């Protein structure tokens, strides 16, 4: 009896000693699952008609070299609250110009090493329209699939919502837009 207990304990410890580093490596380099809270990514995630929360697979491997694309849904650390993780869609990359929804500047050209992220449900989202361009170093994973509830199991596509694509804009267009916002009252000093 004592011999079988010793064999079991040895097998368990050696299995644990192998499984633990493999699991940690998988979670650090490949990906993990996370529950999505909130309404900021509706209707793609947590649609109103569905009870409960979506669970997504967050792929760390796909962003290891900061290779993100417009339209990707990503998980990032909040620039305002580093302990908070956000799930948002990438709208623009460095060098792109976006027309903001309610940021302090009407137009923003994204600086090097940054991107512009937004929730799909603009009225419910804390995103770049609040805190500006985000350092790509804050992005730690790309959402690739909805894995729960089972009837919503699907691959998440990289799509930019209509009217949210980066724009091609000239200096004159920016000045004209600002003059319009000021009610046509612009004086050169």
């Amino acid at each position: 009896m004592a011999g079988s207990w010793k064999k079991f304990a040895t097998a368990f410890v050696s299995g644990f000693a192998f499984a633990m580093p493999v699991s940690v490596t998988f979670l650090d380099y490949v990906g993990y699952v996370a529950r999505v809270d909130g309404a900021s990514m509706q209707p793609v995630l947590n649609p109103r008609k569905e009870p409960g929360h979506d669970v997504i697979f967050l792929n760390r491997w796909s962003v290891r070299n900061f290779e993100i694309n417009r339209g990707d849904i990503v998980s990032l650390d909040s620039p305002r609250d580093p302990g908070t993780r956000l799930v948002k869609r990438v709208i623009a990359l460095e060098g792109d110009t976006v027309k903001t929804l309610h940021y302090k500047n009407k137009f923003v050209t994204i600086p090097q090493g940054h991107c512009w992220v937004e929730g799909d449900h603009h009225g419910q989202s804390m995103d770049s329209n609040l805190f500006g361009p985000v350092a790509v170093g804050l992005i730690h994973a790309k959402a690739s699939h909805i894995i729960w509830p089972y009837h919503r199991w699907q691959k998440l596509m990289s799509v930019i919502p209509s009217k949210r694509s980066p724009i091609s804009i000239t200096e004159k267009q920016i000045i004209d837009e600002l003059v319009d916002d000021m009610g046509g009252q612009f004086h050169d000093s």
Side-chain angles (χ1 to χ4, degrees):
M1 182 67 125
S4 64
W5 175 250
K6 186 176 179 180
K7 284 181 185 178
F8 171 76
T10 302
F12 178 79
V13 169
S14 64
F16 184 78
F18 173 76
M20 190 61 156
V22 170
S23 299
V24 169
T25 300
F26 183 86
L27 295 173
D28 281 349
Y29 291 101
V30 178
Y32 60 99
V33 296
R35 186 178 84 166
V36 179
D37 293 321
S40 72
M41 287 301 295
Q42 286 178 342
V44 174
L45 299 173
N46 291 341
R48 290 179 191 183
K49 62 182 180 244
E50 298 282 331
H53 301 277
D54 285 345
V55 175
I56 57 176
F57 180 73
L58 292 169
N59 184 334
R60 284 182 178 266
W61 188 259
S62 65
V63 297
R64 69 190 180 285
N65 296 323
F66 303 108
E67 295 171 8
I68 55 171
N69 299 301
R70 291 173 200 89
D72 287 349
I73 298 174
V74 296
S75 175
L76 65 144
D77 291 323
S78 170
R80 289 271 172 102
D81 181 10
T84 302
R85 294 267 168 106
L86 305 174
V87 175
K88 304 295 175 198
R89 188 177 302 276
V90 176
I91 300 298
L93 301 171
E94 64 180 61
D96 291 341
T97 300
V98 291
K99 183 175 181 182
T100 68
L101 298 175
H102 49 268
Y103 186 59
K104 61 185 176 185
N105 302 330
K106 186 129 186 149
F107 297 95
V108 174
T109 299
I110 311 306
Q112 184 176 4
H114 289 71
C115 64
W116 189 267
V117 296
E118 292 181 353
D120 288 353
H121 189 320
H122 301 296
Q124 298 289 320
S125 185
M126 185 174 72
D127 55 28
S128 287
N129 285 293
L130 176 66
F131 43 71
V134 173
V136 294
L138 294 176
I139 296 173
H140 52 83
K142 184 188 326 183
S144 62
H145 293 80
I146 297 173
I147 60 171
W148 190 260
Y150 68 89
H151 66 279
R152 289 188 27 77
W153 191 310
Q154 62 184 294
K155 181 176 179 166
L156 292 169
M157 307 308 277
S158 292
V159 178
I160 300 176
S162 64
K163 298 182 182 179
R164 294 310 303 142
S165 294
I167 57 174
S168 224
I169 192 157
T170 65
E171 191 174 324
K172 180 173 179 355
Q173 288 172 312
I174 292 173
I175 292 170
D176 290 346
E177 187 81 30
L178 291 172
V179 169
D180 287 345
D181 287 350
M182 295 172 58
Q185 301 173 357
F186 181 74
H187 302 286
D188 247 349
S189 302

